[in-house]
Amino acid sequence: MSVINNNFLLLERNYLFAEVARRVKEYGIRSSGNSVISLGIGDVTRPLPRCAVNAIEAAAAEMGRAETFRGYGPEQGYLFLRESIARYYSDRDVSLDIDEIFISDGAKSDLGNILDIFAKGITSLIPDPVYPVYLDTNIMAGNKVIYAEACEDNGFLPMPDYSVRADVIYLCSPNNPTGAVYNSAQLRAWVDYALSVGAIILFDAAYERFISGDLPHSIYEIEGAKECAIEFCSFSKTAGFTGTRCGWTVVPDALEKEGVKLNGLWLRRQCTKFNGVPYIVQRAAQAVIDGEGRKEIDVNIDYYRGNAEIISATLADAGVPHWGGKDSPYIWLKCGCDSWDYFERLLESAQVVGTPGSGFGKGGQGYFRLTAFSSRDNTSEACRRIKEFYASINSAYKR
Ligand SMILES: *Cc1c(COP(=O)(O)O)cnc(C)c1O
């Protein structure tokens, strides 16, 4: 009998961004330090909003006085933050009970940890390409993985196939890496499917705040979703909390399987393995999600949106097929060749770094992800170089 979890040996050796970093470093040595611009990693660049910093300072001062000091907080999160999140949902006509909301240290942890409440060996349906965490956590758990193919023909938005049966379905909208967003009718089809086959949807809404048009931000905007879906959200991309760490998970009271409420299982899991998010951080999260704070985070989101527009316009001018950017910080472009070959060519000729689509799954082969998470100056300079890159390719073709 094996002592270690052998499933770990089934994981891809190199984590995508480690491989990108390795190749960039190698290029730096080879080229004796040409200035490289990264539109690669999905990390924010704007600082924390002022309201969050003020809340952190005030909360830190509270922690330093005996009368207002706080030790262990509730595992599920402080009431003040759960109430603020419930209000955030109610503005979209989604009514949630406070006990349906769980504060987390980010969406990634909970997306992985949620598998604790499901049996080992279940079948998970995962979009391809998508955020790699869904696949890797299912491999670690020894689950069976099947894929829902996202491609140009379906606008990178796979739809349910009733001949396929899964226990758990991952949906990511707006999608990382393609930037595609489901509309209400499409989400309705997924909810109908999940209800009819008895599957549970794990809905990742980490980028909901980037939606500019009239599209659903939450799966609970769809009737019946509370009987079949868990939702994960995060302050990371919305409010620049990637290093501050806070998110939330919604497990509706109505969600049951085999007569057992999943809310109760998740509460039990959290109380056993998690001791909550720092008070100081929860105060910062409350500041950005309440009233005036939302205006501050939207200023940053508009900034990224401006970057995305510059990138999209550059690709359009060069005649490069591309998607996303409008309702997400990601632009997904067609390389016309292998994703890693394109990575090397763009790095060599333009000194611009992006992320090979193939790193997000087989379906990402031949595509490439650029992010709007950069400064305006770097975005403009990268786009100037991309324009030159395509101009030289196009003139080579004409010759
Ligand atoms: C960044 C990201 C997350 C969450 O990140 P946390 O920092 O852990 O909250 C979740 N899902 C997707 C698709 C992401 O890109």
Side-chain angles (χ1 to χ4, degrees):
M1 198 193 89
S2 182
V3 174
I4 60 161
N5 180 348
N6 272 316
N7 296 318
F8 279 67
L9 309 180
L10 302 172
L11 296 166
E12 287 278 338
R13 182 83 41 98
N14 257 320
Y15 184 56
L16 175 61
F17 295 107
E19 178 61 15
V20 166
R22 191 188 67 75
R23 292 194 189 212
V24 173
K25 191 172 164 211
E26 203 174 72
Y27 170 78
I29 295 165
R30 200 164 66 233
S31 67
S32 59
N34 270 339
S35 86
V36 169
I37 298 179
S38 177
L39 301 183
I41 288 183
D43 194 358
V44 296
T45 50
R46 305 290 300 156
L48 285 179
R50 192 65 238 173
C51 63
V53 176
N54 290 343
I56 287 169
E57 285 171 358
E62 280 183 62
M63 293 296 270
R65 284 193 305 269
E67 314 82 67
T68 46
F69 167 78
R70 295 177 190 234
Y72 288 124
E75 291 91 347
Q76 222 187 317
Y78 282 103
L79 213 52
F80 63 78
L81 181 53
R82 287 190 281 141
E83 280 168 353
S84 294
I85 290 169
R87 272 197 298 278
Y88 187 67
Y89 276 91
S90 70
D91 291 351
R92 278 219 168 77
D93 290 330
V94 173
S95 112
L96 293 179
D97 193 84
I98 301 299
D99 291 332
E100 295 178 307
I101 301 166
F102 297 78
I103 307 304
S104 69
D105 64 353
K108 192 202 238 183
S109 326
D110 276 14
L111 280 160
N113 293 335
I114 198 73
L115 292 177
D116 274 6
I117 68 168
F118 297 110
K120 297 271 176 281
I122 55 168
T123 300
S124 294
L125 178 64
I126 300 181
D128 177 14
V130 86
Y131 185 52
V133 171
Y134 315 151
L135 174 63
D136 286 354
T137 53
N138 273 280
I139 291 175
M140 289 174 184
N143 292 341
K144 179 167 180 238
V145 173
I146 53 176
Y147 297 96
E149 192 194 346
C151 55
E152 283 178 47
D153 286 347
N154 59 25
F156 298 101
L157 294 168
M159 295 304 295
D161 172 351
Y162 279 77
S163 70
V164 168
R165 288 295 145 104
D167 302 302
V168 161
I169 300 161
Y170 288 80
L171 296 178
C172 180
S173 178
N175 185 275
N176 177 7
T178 68
V181 189
Y182 282 110
N183 65 29
S184 297
Q186 291 166 324
L187 282 187
R188 158 130 302 283
W190 275 111
V191 167
D192 288 346
Y193 166 79
L195 290 172
S196 101
V197 304
I200 290 163
I201 293 173
L202 303 182
F203 190 79
D204 185 347
Y207 295 96
E208 61 82 19
R209 194 90 196 159
F210 287 82
I211 294 174
S212 54
D214 185 22
L215 292 162
H217 289 236
S218 163
I219 187 95
Y220 304 120
E221 291 175 51
I222 310 301
E223 209 195 313
K226 283 186 182 170
E227 281 86 59
C228 67
I230 295 174
E231 179 162 296
F232 303 83
C233 205
S234 171
F235 292 95
S236 283
K237 315 299 166 37
T238 298
F241 272 49
T242 51
T244 304
R245 310 303 309 144
C246 196
W248 72 85
T249 297
V250 178
V251 187
D253 184 64
L255 184 56
E256 291 187 13
K257 205 66 195 157
E258 296 143 43
V260 178
K261 284 188 189 293
L262 270 57
N263 181 288
L265 296 187
W266 183 242
L267 178 63
R268 189 71 176 82
R269 190 268 170 212
Q270 290 299 80
C271 290
T272 302
K273 294 196 185 179
F274 186 60
N275 255 337
V277 175
Y279 171 70
I280 295 169
V281 170
Q282 293 192 56
R283 280 293 182 199
Q286 180 194 29
V288 299
I289 204 169
D290 270 346
E292 291 297 303
R294 290 189 209 169
K295 289 187 189 147
E296 280 192 58
I297 59 180
D298 286 341
V299 170
N300 283 345
I301 287 184
D302 281 342
Y303 180 94
Y304 296 130
R305 204 171 271 140
N307 287 348
E309 279 166 15
I310 293 170
I311 298 170
S312 296
T314 303
L315 295 172
D317 280 349
V320 182
H322 64 283
W323 298 262
K326 189 175 164 290
D327 300 299
S328 95
Y330 299 121
I331 291 97
W332 185 242
L333 67 90
K334 193 170 184 168
C335 311
C337 61
D338 171 86
S339 298
W340 278 109
D341 288 349
Y342 183 89
F343 173 91
E344 292 288 347
R345 283 169 55 202
L346 196 64
L347 180 57
E348 289 284 345
S349 335
Q351 290 81 50
V352 171
V353 175
T355 314
S358 54
F360 298 95
K362 283 196 185 68
Q365 178 57 275
Y367 297 89
F368 201 73
R369 191 193 76 175
L370 295 174
T371 96
F373 291 137
S374 190
S375 69
R376 185 58 49 85
D377 283 353
N378 276 349
T379 303
S380 300
E381 172 59 16
C383 284
R384 193 191 60 74
R385 296 179 188 181
I386 291 170
K387 189 177 168 186
E388 273 182 10
F389 170 71
Y390 277 105
S392 72
I393 294 175
N394 290 340
S395 70
Y397 272 133
K398 282 187 196 112
R399 254 186 269 126

